[in-house]
Amino acid sequence: MLRIAAHYRVTPNITMNLKKRLDIFDRLAAAIPEPTTELHYTSTFELLIAVVLSAQATDKGVNKATAKLFPVANTPGDILALGETGLKEYIKTIGLFNSKATHIITLCRQLLDKHAGEVPQTREELEALAGVGRKTANVILNTAFGRHTIAVDTHIFRVANRTGIAPGKNVLEVERKLDKWVPKQHKKDAHHLLILHGRYTCIARKPRCESCVIEDLCEYEHKTGHQDDDTAKGATSRFIE
C-alpha cells in the first residue's frame, strides 16, 4: 500500500469544506476541459490490457509497447494466439513484463470462457480477472463505462493528501473520502482531473505551486515559490486549447 510521505502530509483543516472542494474542482475542470486517460486505446479490451500493463509503469512506456502490440493482437483470441512467449516480445520494455504477460494470458482465457470475450461491467467480475485489482477495476468502470469511480494511484493519493481534499493513510481511505466529498457534478471526471493535475502541476518532488490554479485553496504547508524551469509555468493550462 502507498504511504503518506512526510513532505506532503497535511493536518486536516476545518476550512476544507464543501464550498472549497467545489471551488477546487470547478477550477480544475475549467483548466482541464477534456479530462481523460493518456493511455491509447480503441476498445474496452485494449483499455483493459493497457491499464494492466500500466502498473508501476508510465503511460508513455505502455503506449510505445501497445502501438506495436495492438495492430497485431487486440482481442482475447489474438493475444492467446501469440502465447505468453510471443506476448513478452511486445511488452518486454515494460516493468514486470514477465508477470504481466502471465496475468494477461490468463485474463484472456477468462474473458473467452466466462464472458464471451467481452470485458465485464461489474466490479466483482472485473476484480475476478487475473491481474485486475480494485484500482484497475475502478479505471475501467470510470473510463470505459462512465461510472463515478475514482482509482487512487500515486498521483491522486499525493494530491488528495497535499491539498487536504481527502487526506488518508492508505489508498482505500482516500478513495472512500473522495467518494464522499467530491461534488456530485464532478464525480465522473474527478479521477482524471486529479491524475492530470498531479502529473503536470502537483508533481512529487517540487510541486509547481506558482502556476497552480488552486494554489490559494490548497492547504499544503510547504508551497513552492518559484519554478525550476520555464516549462513549469502554466503546466495545468497545457490542457486548454
Side-chain angles (χ1 to χ4, degrees):
M1 282 212 173
L2 297 170
R3 297 182 183 277
I4 303 175
H7 68 281
Y8 61 82
R9 183 183 286 117
V10 299
T11 301
N13 190 317
I14 59 172
T15 63
M16 182 54 72
N17 52 30
L18 291 176
K19 182 182 184 306
K20 184 180 280 190
R21 289 189 180 93
L22 176 59
D23 289 343
I24 286 173
F25 280 98
D26 280 347
R27 290 191 195 178
L28 290 177
I32 310 171
E34 294 183 5
T36 189
T37 180
E38 294 187 307
L39 291 170
H40 297 166
Y41 69 99
T42 61
S43 68
T44 303
F45 175 74
E46 286 187 359
L47 176 63
L48 176 60
I49 297 303
V51 176
V52 170
L53 291 173
S54 71
Q56 298 184 48
T58 66
D59 287 1
K60 183 177 180 180
V62 172
N63 288 337
K64 285 184 177 179
T66 57
K68 296 179 180 179
L69 171 64
F70 288 157
V72 175
N74 68 343
T75 68
D78 289 341
I79 288 183
L80 281 179
L82 285 179
E84 190 169 327
T85 300
L87 176 59
K88 287 179 182 179
E89 286 300 309
Y90 288 96
I91 66 171
K92 61 186 178 183
T93 57
I94 299 174
L96 306 176
F97 74 93
N98 283 310
S99 60
K100 289 176 181 178
T102 300
H103 288 319
I104 288 171
I105 290 297
T106 302
L107 178 155
C108 288
R109 288 199 187 99
Q110 291 173 312
L111 290 179
L112 288 171
D113 292 345
K114 299 179 180 181
H115 304 287
E118 299 296 322
V119 177
Q121 298 188 32
T122 70
R123 179 186 301 283
E124 293 74 17
E125 289 173 315
L126 285 166
E127 290 187 20
L129 298 173
V132 177
R134 184 178 183 87
K135 185 179 77 172
T136 296
N138 277 340
V139 173
I140 300 303
L141 290 171
N142 177 263
T143 306
F145 302 124
R147 310 287 173 78
H148 293 184
T149 56
I150 301 176
V152 180
D153 68 350
T154 55
H155 297 299
I156 292 182
F157 187 79
R158 179 175 65 253
V159 172
N161 276 286
R162 268 185 178 165
T163 62
I165 294 172
K169 296 179 180 179
N170 55 60
V171 294
L172 187 56
E173 184 179 353
V174 169
E175 180 188 330
R176 286 172 175 168
K177 287 184 176 180
L178 287 171
D179 185 58
K180 178 180 179 181
W181 290 334
V182 171
K184 184 177 181 181
Q185 60 266 48
H186 292 295
K187 272 200 170 180
K188 181 178 180 296
D189 290 331
H191 171 74
H192 291 112
L193 289 173
L194 294 174
I195 284 179
L196 293 171
H197 184 65
R199 184 172 290 167
Y200 295 105
T201 300
C202 195
I203 58 177
R205 291 194 176 184
K206 195 168 188 179
R208 294 161 176 164
C209 301
E210 189 174 86
S211 62
C212 177
V213 297
I214 62 169
E215 188 273 340
D216 59 312
L217 301 173
C218 171
E219 296 181 358
Y220 183 44
E221 295 178 354
H222 307 291
K223 296 175 185 176
T224 59
H226 65 277
Q227 301 303 322
D228 289 332
D229 54 55
D230 292 338
T231 62
K233 193 174 175 91
T236 301
S237 63
R238 71 186 288 274
F239 298 99
I240 302 177
E241 296 184 0

